[in-house]
Amino acid sequence: MPEDRPYDIVLFGATGFTGALTAQYLARNTGPGRRWALAGRDRARLEAVRERIGLPELPLLHADASDPASLAEIARRTRVVATTVGPYILHGGPLVAACAAAGTHYADITGEPEFVDLAFARHHATAMQTGAKLVHACGFDSVPHDLGVYFTVQRLPEGVPISVDGYVRAGGRPSGGTVHSAVTALSRARQSARAATVRRRLEERPAGRRVRGLPGSPRNVGGWALPLPTIDPRIVARSARALERYGPDFTYRHHLAVRRLPEALGLAAGAGALALLAQLPPVRSRLLERFPAGGGPTPEQRAKSWFTVTFDGRGGGERVVTEVSGGDPGYDETAKMLGESALCLAFDDLPETAGQTTTAAAMGEALIGRLQRAGITFRVLRDSRG
């Protein structure tokens, strides 16, 4: 990548709820001599964010998700673009294309499988040629899960079959932007399945190794574990395919952990109803009207939010139980994860990867170290032979 680019990091989407939190995080944690800027289509709103974070001289760049030329311009001027502009399936594709073409590293916080699969089909090959790292899911989707499994695998024997079960517990409130992304994804189940099929035809699989990432199955584990069909097990599986350290036969199962059976049944029924209602355009529109994009939980509400992900890993006759935990998962910690991912891509000594990749494959130990220093906990709960 040319060293004479004027910026190290450009944050696109700083006027949105999570984007503004990410701008605040970068303002506090981007050290002197680091060159970064905010980008968006509304200069007045960018100026308001700049004033709020207390950096009156921070550069502001014009970029519009519907204007590929403006996106190409910011991609050419920076080493890393971090973006919070979603739903990504509607607004994200042109920016991925611009970064792949310019050899610019890219990070987002998407949890939309269709978008990630289409980005692979359309832009992975170009990014491999230019050296761009395209790293999706750099927020709560899927940093704690991807890096938590990576952290667990490092503590199991090498060269043996490994299985890891992840159990997610969290408390928090969604923003309007998150609701819009989730409902949009649920309404596009058929399109998502087609994109996954296209990806499978194009994606090379590791020779002589087997990797599976699954939503898990219902089980009683001192509480109730439910299948969690998010993007997270897919991201973990992609890391496992990229890294031989995960062994010759690797399986990851992803669960939501709840305490009581009535709560489990209520969540399962609610998820099914939401998926059904998302298919009906009039109902979907009314649902989205109740959660306008750009808003989110108050600082007081976020201060009460939390997450814990427990990983039970087994391999070679040994068992390791680990935990990743932190504060507000959807916003404060997601802003931290995206901010540290961008800083890691810009400034750390990383593996020689390119194309569409994952946080574990692209940044691994470097990003874990950054997140630990930033207050997200990675710890071993049990390390013994099973």
Side-chain angles (χ1 to χ4, degrees):
M1 183 183 298
E3 295 296 329
D4 59 351
R5 297 190 179 192
Y7 302 111
D8 298 309
I9 297 170
V10 169
L11 174 62
F12 181 51
T15 59
F17 189 81
T18 306
L21 292 175
T22 307
Q24 292 174 359
Y25 185 83
L26 288 172
R28 293 192 300 265
N29 295 280
T30 303
R34 306 307 199 190
R35 308 161 303 161
W36 66 291
L38 305 179
R41 64 182 179 180
D42 189 327
R43 185 172 181 87
R45 294 178 65 192
L46 287 174
E47 289 173 348
V49 172
R50 181 172 66 178
E51 180 178 355
R52 191 158 63 246
I53 65 178
L55 295 176
E57 303 302 319
L58 187 68
L60 305 178
L61 308 177
H62 173 74
D64 188 326
S66 63
D67 179 7
S70 70
L71 302 176
E73 179 64 17
I74 65 167
R76 285 193 295 266
R77 299 181 69 190
T78 187
R79 301 171 63 228
V80 177
V81 172
T83 174
T84 61
V85 179
Y88 289 89
I89 192 62
L90 302 179
H91 308 299
L95 182 56
V96 182
C99 289
T104 299
H105 302 324
Y106 166 96
D108 66 28
I109 54 172
T110 189
E112 304 166 42
E114 180 190 2
F115 170 72
V116 175
D117 289 343
L118 289 177
F120 177 87
R122 294 169 179 171
H123 308 301
H124 173 73
T126 299
M128 288 287 290
Q129 294 175 349
T130 64
K133 294 179 173 70
L134 308 179
V135 193
H136 304 282
C138 293
F140 187 65
D141 289 321
S142 298
V143 167
H145 319 102
D146 191 28
L147 293 183
V149 172
Y150 177 93
F151 180 81
T152 305
V153 166
Q154 305 306 311
R155 285 149 182 83
L156 289 166
E158 293 188 52
V160 300
I162 288 175
S163 67
V164 180
D165 284 89
Y167 300 93
V168 183
R169 297 175 176 85
R173 297 168 66 104
S175 78
T178 294
V179 172
H180 278 243
S181 290
V183 172
T184 299
L186 287 170
S187 72
R188 297 177 60 88
R190 291 193 184 101
Q191 296 94 321
S192 185
R194 285 198 296 268
T197 299
V198 171
R199 181 187 186 118
R200 283 193 295 271
R201 291 171 181 164
L202 295 172
E203 190 172 22
E204 293 184 9
R205 300 298 172 114
R209 299 174 60 228
R210 183 169 67 164
V211 171
R212 288 161 292 179
L214 308 169
S217 57
R219 62 181 70 183
N220 189 331
V221 286
W224 287 89
L226 304 177
L228 193 53
T230 60
I231 196 173
D232 307 303
R234 304 187 192 197
I235 297 293
V236 170
R238 286 164 195 158
S239 295
R241 292 186 189 107
L243 301 170
E244 290 191 12
R245 181 62 181 82
Y246 286 63
D249 189 347
F250 175 82
T251 301
Y252 175 66
R253 299 179 182 88
H254 197 53
H255 308 82
L256 176 65
V258 297
R259 292 181 179 178
R260 296 179 296 274
L261 180 58
E263 183 182 0
L265 294 174
L267 285 169
L274 181 60
L276 177 62
L277 293 173
Q279 312 306 313
L280 306 174
V283 178
R284 184 168 68 242
S285 297
R286 286 196 291 272
L287 179 62
L288 295 179
E289 287 171 1
R290 295 185 58 190
F291 296 91
T298 66
E300 294 76 20
Q301 290 167 335
R302 298 199 307 273
K304 298 176 183 178
S305 301
W306 55 274
F307 79 86
T308 300
V309 191
T310 304
F311 300 94
D312 188 345
R314 300 168 189 256
E318 298 188 17
R319 181 185 181 196
V320 174
V321 180
T322 66
E323 179 184 271
V324 180
S325 61
D328 172 53
Y331 305 99
D332 289 338
E333 299 296 55
T334 282
K336 179 184 296 182
M337 294 170 197
L338 179 61
E340 290 295 349
S341 294
L343 291 165
C344 191
L345 288 169
F347 301 117
D348 292 355
D349 185 15
L350 300 176
E352 292 292 332
T353 58
Q356 190 185 93
T357 181
T358 65
T359 53
M363 293 176 272
E365 295 290 349
L367 185 54
I368 289 175
R370 281 183 168 276
L371 295 175
Q372 287 176 317
R373 292 189 292 273
I376 293 177
T377 300
F378 289 73
R379 62 174 179 154
V380 176
L381 301 180
R382 174 179 175 177
D383 189 347
S384 62
R385 293 188 177 273

